[in-house]
Amino acid sequence: MARVDTLCRKAARILVVDDERVSLILMERLLQAAGYSNIVLVQDPYEFMAVYRQAPTDLVLLDIEMPGLSGFDLIEQLAALADPLTPPILVLTSLRSRDYRLRALEAGASDFIGKPFDQAEVAARVRNMLDVQLAHRMAHDQKDMLERIVYERTRQIRETRLQVVQRLGRAAEYRDNETGQHILRMSHTSTLLARHLGWDEERCEIMLHASPMHDVGKIGIPDSILLKPGALTPEEWRIMQTHSTIGGDILGGDDSELMQLAREIALSHHEKWDGGGYPLGLAGEDIPESGRIVALADVFDALTSVRPYKPAWEVEAALEWMRGQSGKHFDPRIMEVFLSLVPEILEIRERFADPVS
């Protein structure tokens, strides 16, 4: 490890900035004698930033007393870059004033090398500063690597959760008379409504994947009730209604936004604006907005789709019935947005039409 660090240090890019040619040449020879070869000399301070940007720099040796642009000016230019890997700055100066050195340190300098130069001092201070910069770069690279690992693992977890949700949705479809196309139409319509109600794009994406879980609780309903072609008895209807709480139980216990929203929808999409829904009899804005959105999308698609127990309604007939349910079954505000989006909703309906048998 020590050999690797030494090799890295010897290969470091060192910029030497001094308006005096003699000082530049002398410092170059001192650095070469210490084993450094990647040395860049800058005599004109106005050229410093252009040279600095050409390649990553590990150390700057900077004369403070230069005409035109002083060393203080160049330190300010480096600070303005706000680069987390800004190299340390060794000030080259013949001035011994405490105030002068304090000003340089406050500006951003790391240390000093006095003129006239002493070979041993130059070698020691340069080595120390490069060791600090090497450690800083290694820590920065490690931080970047850890961030990439965390990002990738987080992405994998999200993908896994999404796959679980999608498979749960498919399992629910197999148990029900509804088709996968219904799920697509309903989820895309719900997402369209959410977007026009002001949801941001990230939350709309979550809605797209969470809303297909709205009826996952039907997994727990007996086939004799779930697949019954005729009307349900009061007792059968009571059992059917439990699919909302069953879905909430299935989707509970996960703190991800996806699963939390899916659970919220499963529990609330059968609530009604006037309080006449189930399972909790919530009313008005006590019903989560997600449930109010999905209720509209789900009912519209159910009305306009063929089911074993009913034919498909014409679109206008379905819309007329739903207008009459505004303020009763449905949130009037969301109903207004829904009606304004009918052309887009019909496009979704056509794009994900049921296959002709």
Side-chain angles (χ1 to χ4, degrees):
M1 181 64 182
R3 176 175 170 77
V4 173
D5 291 349
T6 300
L7 290 173
C8 290
R9 187 178 352 107
K10 295 299 183 181
R13 185 177 192 247
I14 302 173
L15 261 61
V16 185
V17 188
D18 197 317
D19 64 309
E20 295 182 0
R21 183 66 182 171
V22 173
S23 292
L24 284 176
I25 294 173
L26 176 58
M27 181 55 72
E28 181 181 33
R29 289 175 179 173
L30 291 174
L31 291 171
Q32 288 173 340
Y36 301 104
S37 58
N38 192 2
I39 305 163
V40 182
L41 305 180
V42 180
Q43 187 172 356
D44 184 350
Y46 287 96
E47 297 177 357
F48 168 71
M49 289 306 296
V51 175
Y52 174 82
R53 289 189 174 97
Q54 288 174 0
T57 299
D58 299 289
L59 178 63
V60 176
L61 304 182
L62 178 61
D63 183 24
I64 287 289
E65 308 155 79
M66 295 184 293
L69 281 177
S70 71
F72 293 114
D73 295 325
L74 298 187
I75 292 174
E76 288 179 3
Q77 289 181 8
L78 282 177
L81 297 177
D83 182 358
L85 290 175
T86 297
I89 299 169
L90 278 174
V91 169
L92 310 175
T93 180
S94 59
L95 299 177
R96 305 295 178 181
S97 165
R98 175 181 178 277
D99 291 342
Y100 188 86
R101 293 193 170 210
L102 184 59
R103 181 187 170 193
L105 289 171
E106 289 176 343
S110 304
D111 204 348
F112 300 88
I113 296 179
K115 294 181 179 181
F117 302 130
D118 177 84
Q119 182 172 356
E121 180 187 14
V122 169
R125 293 189 186 277
V126 168
R127 181 185 66 248
N128 290 342
M129 287 297 99
L130 286 175
D131 284 346
V132 169
Q133 182 66 358
L134 175 61
H136 184 46
R137 282 191 182 277
M138 291 176 65
H140 185 271
D141 291 344
Q142 185 179 44
K143 177 175 176 289
D144 281 350
M145 181 181 68
L146 290 174
E147 287 178 350
R148 287 194 297 270
I149 291 172
V150 169
Y151 172 83
E152 179 60 23
R153 289 184 178 173
T154 301
R155 186 192 65 78
Q156 290 174 355
I157 290 170
R158 291 181 65 182
E159 284 293 319
T160 300
R161 281 173 170 156
L162 180 55
Q163 290 176 18
V164 168
V165 165
Q166 289 171 339
R167 281 163 173 72
L168 278 172
R170 291 182 64 186
E173 290 167 28
Y174 282 122
R175 293 279 346 273
D176 203 350
N177 286 319
E178 294 175 349
T179 69
Q181 298 303 101
H182 163 76
I183 296 297
L184 289 171
R185 293 191 297 267
M186 182 279 304
S187 60
H188 281 269
T189 299
S190 297
T191 304
L192 177 68
L193 283 169
R195 183 173 294 110
H196 283 268
L197 287 165
W199 290 32
D200 61 41
E201 282 305 311
E202 182 178 358
R203 192 153 171 80
C204 285
E205 181 73 13
I206 296 172
M207 168 64 90
L208 181 65
H209 298 302
S211 53
M213 296 299 94
H214 66 297
D215 277 340
V216 70
K218 288 182 178 179
I219 291 172
I221 303 300
D223 286 350
S224 59
I225 295 174
L226 186 64
L227 304 179
K228 186 176 179 179
L232 299 178
T233 66
E235 177 60 18
E236 289 171 337
W237 180 238
R238 185 193 65 76
I239 294 172
M240 175 64 84
Q241 288 179 332
T242 64
H243 81 272
S244 292
T245 52
I246 293 171
D249 290 342
I250 290 172
L251 299 168
D254 192 298
D255 61 359
S256 71
E257 286 188 72
L258 174 62
M259 298 299 280
Q260 286 182 345
L261 185 62
R263 180 176 187 272
E264 181 179 271
I265 291 169
L267 284 170
S268 64
H269 75 287
H270 282 300
E271 301 287 359
K272 294 184 179 181
W273 184 257
D274 64 4
Y278 63 88
L280 298 177
L282 301 178
E285 293 190 358
D286 288 340
I287 306 168
E289 187 175 52
S290 61
R292 287 178 269 148
I293 290 171
V294 171
L296 264 166
D298 188 35
V299 169
F300 174 73
D301 195 73
L303 290 174
T304 55
S305 300
V306 175
R307 293 289 185 269
Y309 51 86
K310 74 166 191 68
W313 288 27
E314 294 294 331
V315 169
E316 285 305 320
L319 292 175
E320 185 62 27
W321 181 85
M322 292 176 70
R323 288 188 190 98
Q325 291 296 309
S326 181
K328 299 176 184 178
H329 190 152
F330 306 119
D331 179 341
R333 178 177 64 95
I334 300 179
M335 173 59 77
E336 185 177 346
V337 174
F338 178 89
L339 293 173
S340 72
L341 294 171
V342 167
E344 291 93 326
I345 293 168
L346 294 181
E347 287 178 7
I348 292 171
R349 185 167 174 266
E350 182 175 349
R351 190 189 334 156
F352 300 110
D354 291 323
V356 178
S357 56

